[in-house]
Amino acid sequence: MIQQLTEALFPVLSLIVLGAVLGRKTDFFSGPSLSGLVTTVGIPALLLHSVLTMDMNIWGMGEVIVLTLVWLGIMSLVTAGLLAVAGLPVRSYLPALVHPNTGNMGIPVCYALFGPQSLGLAMVISSVIQVSHFTLGIGCLSGKFSFRALIKNGPVLALIAGAILLAAEIRLPSPVMTTLDMLGSITVPVMLMQLGASIANLNLSRVRDMVRPLAFSFYRPLGGLLIAWLLLLVWPLEGMQAQVFMIQCAMPVAVMSYVLAVKYRGPAEDVAVTIPLSLVVSIGIVVGFSLVN
């Protein structure tokens, strides 16, 4: 089990380190163009390909989507309340503390713990979170929410198209699926290297600069796990499905939260520092799950 977890996490950590080296030595990650490519092309392709390749019927998919949306709503309300009590700007920090890294972290971790039968559920949860980045996340950071912008949003359209094709039992031609797979494959590596470049260029001159990210790094995985557990008490899932749901909700701060914080001039440095710190906490939770199961 430890070997499987190491194999799942090694590529993620390696890409972050590579991005840190390139961020110090080159200007590959300066400017918004690379982030724009990922958010407008890579993520929609990745979402559509994931939905069309998962082993789950439309009704099971619908239940998981609704459950994840309920979790997002509760997590958002609790987090907003805590931020307000702490005197921190709610709109600036809410997206990062609510959205877990269910994609490039959650999916491989679930595979390592539960095998290929967990991938469909993990991908559906990840798809909902990705869409939330571009609704709740952008709405908070930009201060604007437009239904017109929502229905024109690439990830939203990709998820809707995938659900329609899945419900109609329509299979896209193999060359189209291969194209989607290739386009989606650019997303995770670029995002992880961008994160590494940002961490490498941080300027934290005082110890107290770490206090807030350290608190956030514990809250994101542990708070998400607790709310997921409480929600499953009233909305139970089967054994493996419940465990996958809790693991996904306990993942660290998402890399996409950092990408959006940079794009909309949010607290990018705090988010960047919180990601690796919360990763350590999430790994501890995952190890605990592996030992119990």
Side-chain angles (χ1 to χ4, degrees):
M1 180 63 69
I2 298 300
Q3 180 180 356
Q4 289 176 310
L5 288 173
T6 301
E7 291 175 353
L9 295 176
F10 180 79
V12 174
L13 299 177
S14 297
L15 286 172
I16 292 175
V17 172
L18 177 59
V21 173
L22 293 176
R24 282 289 190 180
K25 302 295 185 180
T26 72
D27 60 354
F28 292 165
F29 303 103
S30 59
S33 299
L34 199 56
S35 296
L37 177 65
V38 170
T39 56
T40 59
V41 177
I43 290 175
L46 180 63
L47 275 174
L48 184 55
H49 184 270
S50 297
V51 169
L52 295 179
T53 54
M54 68 182 183
D55 184 20
M56 182 179 293
N57 61 48
I58 190 64
W59 300 112
M61 175 180 169
E63 180 183 16
V64 173
I65 288 174
V66 173
L67 182 62
T68 306
L69 289 173
V70 172
W71 176 86
L72 278 170
I74 297 173
M75 186 73 181
S76 298
L77 290 174
V78 172
T79 304
L82 291 175
L83 287 171
V85 170
L88 296 173
V90 174
R91 284 196 344 217
S92 297
Y93 289 104
L94 183 68
L97 295 180
V98 168
H99 296 131
N101 190 345
T102 53
N104 53 290
M105 275 295 299
I107 290 174
V109 166
C110 288
Y111 180 84
L113 287 176
F114 309 111
Q117 66 271 20
S118 67
L119 285 179
L121 178 62
M123 286 180 180
V124 172
I125 296 170
S126 181
S127 298
V128 176
I129 299 299
Q130 291 294 342
V131 171
S132 182
H133 278 297
F134 290 88
T135 51
L136 175 66
I138 289 179
C140 285
L141 290 170
S142 68
K144 300 177 182 177
F145 179 81
S146 169
F147 181 75
R148 179 177 296 180
L150 174 61
I151 62 175
K152 290 182 178 180
N153 185 276
V156 174
L157 294 176
L159 187 60
I160 293 172
I164 292 173
L165 292 171
L166 194 65
E169 298 184 353
I170 297 174
R171 292 184 175 273
L172 295 179
S174 180
V176 175
M177 293 297 293
T178 301
T179 302
L180 290 173
D181 187 27
M182 292 176 67
L183 289 173
S185 295
I186 71 173
T187 305
V188 172
V190 171
M191 289 168 61
L192 289 172
M193 287 189 289
Q194 281 183 304
L195 171 63
S198 175
I199 294 174
N201 290 307
L202 289 176
N203 181 22
L204 298 175
S205 57
R206 296 167 297 178
V207 175
R208 69 180 184 182
D209 290 333
M210 295 294 295
V211 173
R212 189 157 52 199
L214 187 61
F216 290 163
S217 70
F218 280 92
Y219 173 75
R220 160 79 289 289
L222 294 175
L225 177 64
L226 177 60
I227 292 175
W229 178 73
L230 292 173
L231 182 57
L232 288 172
L233 292 179
V234 297
W235 191 332
L237 294 175
E238 296 179 3
M240 187 270 290
Q241 292 181 336
Q243 291 176 359
V244 170
F245 182 73
M246 287 193 289
I247 285 291
Q248 287 285 58
C249 294
M251 286 294 99
V253 174
V255 181
M256 180 56 67
S257 293
Y258 165 73
V259 174
L260 295 178
V262 171
K263 183 175 181 180
Y264 293 98
R265 299 182 180 180
E269 287 199 355
D270 278 354
V271 174
V273 176
T274 304
I275 290 175
L277 294 176
S278 61
L279 174 62
V280 175
V281 179
S282 292
I283 290 175
I285 293 173
V286 169
V287 172
F289 263 86
S290 66
L291 294 176
V292 170
N293 296 284

